[in-house]
Amino acid sequence: LLVLAGAVGCRRALRAQRGGTWGPILLGVYGLGRVGAGCFPADPGQGFPPGSPATQTLSRAGVLHFAFGGAGFYALIAACFVFGSRFLRTGRKGLAWFSRATGAAFFAAFAAVASGSVSPTVMIAFYLAVALAWAWHTCVLWQIGPHRHP
């Protein structure tokens, strides 16, 4: 829900500016994806959680979890590139690089997990990519939002 609130605030702050339409929309879709994935639990399987047997079928909740999660993750990746473009055009090259690197890293890690791999290396890379995406998201909203300095 905080991601959705951040998307609304981002839209208000960037109204009529470059990235002010698609950036917040994509962050909102990411937020909806997180809410939806949280409402529908994933099915255990392929060793997750540890000790779970491999499974060939998904429940309706499992399918919805992956649909919401996938849509949200793809929106997050796209948002990284939209904001990367915005920051590059406004002269913030460091933030542009951080945005694009985050989008690329998250895409690679998500693709590895979505392939069905349960390798510990893939799982750790995915968890690190999620943490990187959270850091990026926080940084972007901090840079866009109004600040009050003491």
Side-chain angles (χ1 to χ4, degrees), residues 23-41:
I25 287 171
L26 290 165
L27 290 178
V29 171
Y30 170 60
L32 289 173
R34 304 295 6 110
V35 170
C39 289
F40 301 102

Side-chain angles (χ1 to χ4, degrees), residues 2-3 6-7 9-10 27 136-147:
L2 287 174
V3 173
C10 184
L27 290 178
W136 171 83
H137 188 224
T138 301
C139 184
V140 166
L141 292 181
W142 177 258
Q143 291 297 316
I144 290 169
H147 304 8

Side-chain angles (χ1 to χ4, degrees), residues 33-133:
R34 304 295 6 110
V35 170
C39 289
F40 301 102
D43 296 320
Q46 293 185 315
F48 185 82
S52 297
T55 182
Q56 299 298 324
T57 60
L58 292 174
S59 68
R60 182 175 299 154
V63 169
L64 289 170
H65 175 84
F66 286 116
F68 276 103
F73 285 157
Y74 285 124
L76 173 66
I77 293 162
C80 289
F81 289 100
V82 166
F83 282 106
S85 177
R86 172 189 165 65
F87 291 134
L88 186 63
R89 292 194 186 253
T90 59
R92 295 171 151 180
K93 292 180 182 177
L95 284 170
W97 177 88
F98 182 36
S99 296
R100 291 176 175 175
T102 299
F106 195 85
F107 177 77
F110 178 54
V113 166
S115 74
S117 175
V118 292
S119 144
T121 302
V122 167
M123 297 308 294
I124 289 170
F126 181 69
Y127 297 145
L128 290 173
V130 168
L132 176 65

